[in-house]
Amino acid sequence: MALLQISEPGQSKAPHQRQLAVGIDLGTTNSLVASVRSGEPYVINDGQGDSMLPSVVRYLAEGRAIVGAQALSASAEDPLNTICSVKRLMGRGVEDIPEDCPYRFQSKTSGIPYFDTCAGCVSPVVVSSEILKVLKQRAESALGGALDGVVITVPAYFDDAQRQATKDAAKLAGLEVKRLLNEPTAAAVAYGLDRKAEGVHAIFDLGGGTFDISLLQLNHGVFEVLATGGDSALGGDDFDRVLAQWLFKQADIHKPDARQYRSILNQAKAIKEQLASQELVDIVIKLGDINWQGSLSREQFNELVDPLIQRTIRACKKTLRDAGLATTEIEDIVMVGGSTRMLRVREKVAEFFGQQPLVDIDPDKVVALGAAIQADVLVGNKPDNNTVLLDVIPLSLGIETMGGLAEKIIPRNTTIPVTRAQEFTTFKDGQTAMSVHVVQGERELVEDCRSLARFELKGIPPMVAGAAKIRVTYQVDADGLLNVSAQELSTGVETRVEVKPSYGLNAEDITRMLQDSFSTSSEDAEARALREEKVEAERMIEALGLALTQDGEQLLDDSERQKLQDMIAQLQTLHNGTDRHAINAAVKNLNQASESFAALRMNSSLQKALRGRAIDEIDQ
């Protein structure tokens, strides 16, 4: 008979006690928090029974911040102190602010835009942290204790800076982030695609401020993102703006002030939502002396927004091409994000993929529910869970090499987490330091990519050029954040940097990087080949010039020395030009012409090394 050990009262180790974990969808328009109860995910409501928290923060003169519906209701009367859609500025720079952004901004030395409010200057990170604090309080009140961990979702197309900004906001809110999870992956988990037959699933995620399309393949319990695409500055806000511009034109408002702009924008959003269930909406605009009445049909609205929807379809085409898949190979399409409620969006998606998309789960809640399921696993509540989530990086990560070339170390669409290393060497004799320049992008030249970070590896032993071995290691963690280290292998001296840029790429930059990599591929290949030839020419000119200075007079007669110097001068002239074939030919000719000189130098070095030594010493 087995024995049952009973603990003293209050001293049980509670082996079945659950860790408190939540998933958070930090959205552009609305944010949600969800958890898992009895194995089922659910969205946590506030005290009034509302699940969605408007992602709006209003700052008051005394420094207090109001978050949610109350702040949203004041957005028209106090537009400069009420921050909406802050997600679109996360990880961005001052130069990325849209011209029609209705706020006052101040720039600091970091390049991050700061909202100038009556409560002082606040960054997008601080504004986002206010939203997260409210979600945290809601969750802890509902679950009855402090949270052990959270999973926060981000658009798949968020770059390193945007992801880091999200983690910084969570830290300010006092949250322990277990994972940043791509929104499309969270949606797939919520739909239970991980429990379905193996195949490829498309996640079409059109939210308030961002659009993602991801292709996920399930294979033996491993959820792998095959490819991802999208636009981090395309969403419901843009549909609202297009409609608002139409309303301004109809009401003959040419230069709206901040209050008029926010009022019309709010009205445009309401009209858009009405047209999801109505064929025609009557409109009344009353702003001071302005009084306009009219109507808008669903057909007219479709004409206004079709160019935006077409941008999402183009992204779908490109992502399928990246994955090498046809639309017929897609098992199903999951619709995510409030903007997918628009009937026109669903119609165009169904038309492109040739099948009706899945809309069974509330598109506003599906991401938070998936994040909650993953959070439940990561805190240890489901140790037997055998589903593995493998996301990818959206843009290639590389390093600058001689000649301004970008050497890709981790190509885009590589599954993360990932570690890749590559060995490099020194370019000059006696070089004791190396500058490491980390870049991001698809082009062949550094000038066409985005700079992420720079650091120096010092303490390299002085050797001849090419003798040192420096291993550069790139490590991208499960959150998509990058760490880079450089180590000289003979001494073990090492330097590392956590790549944490102050702001990220805007949507145009990301789109341009990817489009340019295709449209200029042949030009890039030619430019890279020219740079490589120039680097080889520089190496030859420097090495042979130094050799002639050291040993030319002793080993060569005047005519031989002059011939090599003339060829060096000719190569230098060609090096300044753009004919790579001529440079290549000149390098080969100079190599051939200097072979006898190199042999003479080697013999001379051997004679000096052996002079005055006995035969038995040489044998030893």
Side-chain angles (χ1 to χ4, degrees):
M1 178 181 292
L3 296 176
L4 175 65
Q5 182 175 356
I6 301 176
S7 299
E8 293 297 323
Q11 295 183 9
S12 172
K13 296 181 180 179
H16 303 295
Q17 182 177 335
R18 292 179 60 80
Q19 300 291 297
L20 300 183
V22 297
I24 292 177
D25 177 7
L26 183 61
T28 306
T29 308
N30 294 294
S31 296
L32 302 92
V33 58
S35 189
V36 174
R37 179 173 53 205
S38 301
E40 293 297 323
Y42 69 101
V43 174
I44 299 173
N45 296 334
D46 64 7
Q48 287 71 47
D50 293 325
S51 60
M52 289 192 289
L53 175 73
S55 301
V56 183
V57 179
R58 183 189 183 193
Y59 287 92
L60 304 179
E62 63 268 25
R64 191 163 59 92
I66 299 173
V67 181
Q70 189 179 350
L72 178 61
S73 64
S75 60
E77 67 181 70
D78 190 17
L80 296 178
N81 297 306
T82 307
I83 315 301
C84 306
S85 302
V86 69
K87 184 174 179 177
R88 302 191 78 160
L89 290 176
M90 289 288 279
R92 298 290 181 83
V94 174
E95 67 276 12
D96 302 322
I97 300 171
E99 291 182 6
D100 59 355
C101 204
Y103 304 110
R104 293 186 301 248
F105 289 97
Q106 284 195 14
S107 175
K108 302 274 176 111
T109 54
S110 63
I112 300 173
Y114 280 75
F115 297 98
D116 189 358
T117 73
C118 62
C121 292
V122 290
S123 70
V125 169
V126 171
V127 177
S128 294
S129 73
E130 298 290 352
I131 299 168
L132 289 172
K133 285 175 186 176
V134 173
L135 294 174
K136 177 189 176 187
Q137 291 168 1
R138 178 185 296 185
E140 290 181 341
S141 176
L143 299 178
L147 300 178
D148 296 299
V150 303
V151 167
I152 299 179
T153 61
V154 293
Y157 238 48
F158 256 25
D159 68 9
D160 192 78
Q162 291 165 306
R163 290 169 187 269
Q164 186 61 57
T166 304
K167 290 197 80 171
D168 290 344
K171 188 175 181 180
L172 281 178
L175 294 168
E176 182 185 347
V177 179
K178 293 294 185 181
R179 173 81 63 87
L180 292 181
L181 183 64
N182 283 353
E183 290 167 3
T185 310
V189 172
Y191 261 95
L193 299 183
D194 52 324
R195 298 190 296 273
K196 289 192 174 184
E198 296 180 355
V200 180
H201 311 276
I203 315 297
F204 186 98
D205 185 355
L206 184 60
T210 58
F211 168 66
D212 289 315
I213 174 68
S214 294
L215 302 177
L216 281 66
Q217 182 172 46
L218 179 66
N219 187 16
H220 299 297
V222 177
F223 233 157
E224 181 177 2
V225 182
L226 298 179
T228 185
D231 192 331
S232 63
L234 173 63
D237 285 358
D238 299 283
F239 292 89
D240 297 344
R241 281 198 189 92
V242 166
L243 182 50
Q245 293 300 329
W246 183 84
L247 293 172
F248 286 136
K249 187 175 180 181
Q250 303 306 309
D252 201 28
I253 303 174
H254 299 292
K255 291 185 178 180
D257 58 30
R259 184 168 294 186
Q260 290 174 327
Y261 184 89
R262 176 52 62 185
S263 178
I264 293 294
L265 205 59
N266 290 346
Q267 193 166 358
K269 181 182 177 183
I271 294 168
K272 176 188 73 175
E273 292 171 353
Q274 286 176 280
L275 286 170
S277 57
Q278 298 174 214
E279 289 288 344
L280 185 72
V281 174
D282 292 324
I283 305 169
V284 176
I285 294 178
K286 289 185 178 181
L287 291 172
D289 297 333
I290 299 168
N291 193 340
W292 178 82
Q293 293 185 5
S295 62
L296 179 69
S297 69
R298 185 183 292 168
E299 186 177 348
Q300 288 175 296
F301 178 65
N302 289 345
E303 289 178 6
L304 291 173
V305 299
D306 270 352
L308 295 175
I309 299 174
Q310 194 56 39
R311 282 169 61 182
T312 70
I313 300 301
R314 283 199 298 269
C316 292
K317 289 179 181 177
K318 188 183 72 62
T319 306
L320 283 167
R321 187 171 64 243
D322 287 347
L325 295 171
T327 54
T328 53
E329 297 176 82
I330 304 301
E331 294 288 328
D332 41 41
I333 306 99
V334 174
M335 299 298 270
V336 182
S339 296
T340 60
R341 294 180 186 277
M342 292 171 55
L343 300 181
R344 188 65 164 181
V345 172
R346 295 182 179 184
E347 176 187 322
K348 289 294 184 181
V349 170
E351 181 183 304
F352 174 71
F353 283 100
Q355 60 175 298
Q356 289 299 319
L358 299 177
V359 292
D360 305 346
I361 302 179
D362 186 333
D364 285 313
K365 299 179 180 179
V366 61
V367 167
L369 294 172
I373 294 171
Q374 185 64 9
D376 201 47
V377 173
L378 291 177
V379 297
N381 289 334
K382 286 189 177 179
D384 57 339
N385 184 279
N386 58 0
T387 299
V388 181
L389 303 178
L390 299 176
D391 280 329
V392 297
I393 60 170
L395 291 170
S396 299
L397 298 168
I399 190 172
E400 179 179 359
T401 58
M402 284 302 300
L405 298 175
E407 182 73 22
K408 292 182 179 66
I409 291 183
I410 304 181
R412 72 188 181 95
N413 282 331
T414 296
T415 301
I416 57 174
V418 62
T419 299
R420 294 277 174 85
Q422 198 161 324
E423 288 187 7
F424 297 89
T425 189
T426 50
F427 183 74
K428 294 186 177 182
D429 291 343
Q431 185 175 336
T432 59
M434 174 180 283
S435 176
V436 179
H437 183 196
V438 183
V439 296
Q440 180 183 43
E442 306 309 313
R443 302 289 295 276
E444 296 292 338
L445 304 183
V446 166
E447 63 196 49
D448 297 319
C449 295
R450 183 194 176 216
S451 174
L452 289 182
R454 295 176 186 266
F455 65 99
E456 280 194 355
L457 174 65
K458 298 180 179 179
I460 301 172
M463 310 179 196
V464 296
K469 287 186 177 181
I470 293 94
R471 176 175 293 162
V472 179
T473 304
Y474 279 40
Q475 185 176 39
V476 182
D477 64 19
D479 296 325
L481 301 177
L482 173 65
N483 282 273
V484 180
S485 63
Q487 183 181 45
E488 202 288 308
L489 297 182
S490 66
T491 61
V493 62
E494 183 178 17
T495 304
R496 61 177 60 244
V497 62
E498 179 181 342
V499 179
K500 190 177 179 180
S502 57
Y503 53 87
L505 300 172
N506 60 33
E508 289 74 21
D509 287 335
I510 293 176
T511 305
R512 174 184 57 77
M513 282 183 167
L514 293 176
Q515 289 177 344
D516 287 354
S517 69
F518 294 112
S519 63
T520 63
S521 56
S522 57
E523 293 91 336
D524 279 0
E526 182 61 30
R528 183 181 185 91
L530 175 61
R531 290 286 180 93
E532 287 174 343
E533 294 294 351
K534 287 191 173 189
V535 168
E536 181 60 22
E538 290 171 12
R539 187 195 64 77
M540 173 65 78
I541 290 168
E542 184 167 343
L544 188 53
L546 182 62
L548 285 172
T549 300
Q550 292 176 342
D551 301 318
E553 291 187 7
Q554 293 85 1
L555 301 177
L556 300 174
D557 59 36
D558 291 344
S559 62
E560 290 173 327
R561 192 167 65 253
Q562 188 60 48
K563 178 184 176 182
L564 291 178
Q565 288 172 341
D566 290 344
M567 292 181 75
I568 290 174
Q570 181 188 10
L571 179 57
Q572 183 67 61
T573 301
L574 291 170
H575 170 272
N576 297 329
T578 57
D579 188 343
R580 71 178 179 87
H581 298 291
I583 296 172
N584 179 268
V587 168
K588 287 181 177 178
N589 291 337
L590 187 54
N591 237 330
Q592 198 170 15
S594 62
E595 281 180 356
S596 58
F597 177 46
L600 289 172
R601 291 191 78 209
M602 184 175 292
N603 290 336
S604 175
S605 297
L606 284 172
Q607 287 175 3
K608 290 177 182 177
L610 300 178
R611 190 176 297 137
R613 298 183 65 189
I615 295 295
D616 55 349
E617 288 179 314
I618 297 171
D619 289 339
Q620 291 174 359

